[in-house]
Amino acid sequence: EDLFSSQLQPLYIFSCILFVFTIIAAWSIERARHLIRFAQGQLLFDIVAVTTLVYLSGGVDSQFSFFYALVVISSTILLKRRDSLLTASACSLVYGVLLDLQFFGWISPLQIVTGTEHAPDSATYFFHILINITGFYLVAFLAGSLSQELHRSSRRVIEQEKHLQFLSTLHQSIVQSLPS
């Protein structure tokens, strides 16, 4: 209703932190000596950012838990398949802990986006945790398989280019020797 309401201030602060971190990361990527560590740090920040968004938008009622799957896909693109499974495990752990803390009443999500005021039962929490964790690992497995196939295809293309270059050189040599 009101874009300047005090209820939306945590979301604005969260957005500003994300923008600042994105600018800093873009600036520092050229200066990074260890790109693997840089990518791991970026993925860790992404997990924390998604967890914060899920917390701000209602915890178990949040519609943003699918962003964890995007972090898992990013880890598959940036790192190896094993690392994507570790990222899926980290996402599962953080999401599960967040929902457990909410279930036991130790934290109360802000519900900025959803605005619902009902208390789900334990089956709802278990269902959300189970479905999301299953999804995280399925995404890690499928994205890892696709990534491995992409690397294999790239290697095959490079080998075919080398073979084509060899045949082209052989053809030129044969054509040049033809008059003799």
Side-chain angles (χ1 to χ4, degrees), residues 21-95:
F21 184 80
T22 301
I23 290 169
I24 291 170
W27 177 77
S28 63
I29 193 168
E30 293 177 3
R31 291 159 183 75
R33 292 183 183 184
H34 303 286
L35 290 178
I36 299 296
R37 288 186 192 151
F38 184 82
Q40 291 169 340
Q42 180 68 41
L43 291 169
L44 182 63
F45 180 82
D46 290 346
I47 292 171
V48 171
V50 171
T51 304
T52 304
L53 181 62
V54 170
Y55 172 76
L56 289 174
S57 60
V60 72
D61 294 324
S62 177
Q63 301 168 354
F64 297 109
S65 60
F66 72 91
F67 281 139
Y68 284 114
L70 298 178
V71 175
V72 172
I73 291 171
S74 297
S75 71
T76 304
I77 293 169
L78 296 173
L79 304 171
K80 295 180 181 178
R81 184 177 191 171
R82 179 182 58 90
D83 294 321
S84 69
L85 293 172
L86 290 174
T87 303
S89 298
C91 290
S92 300
L93 179 69
V94 171
Y95 183 72

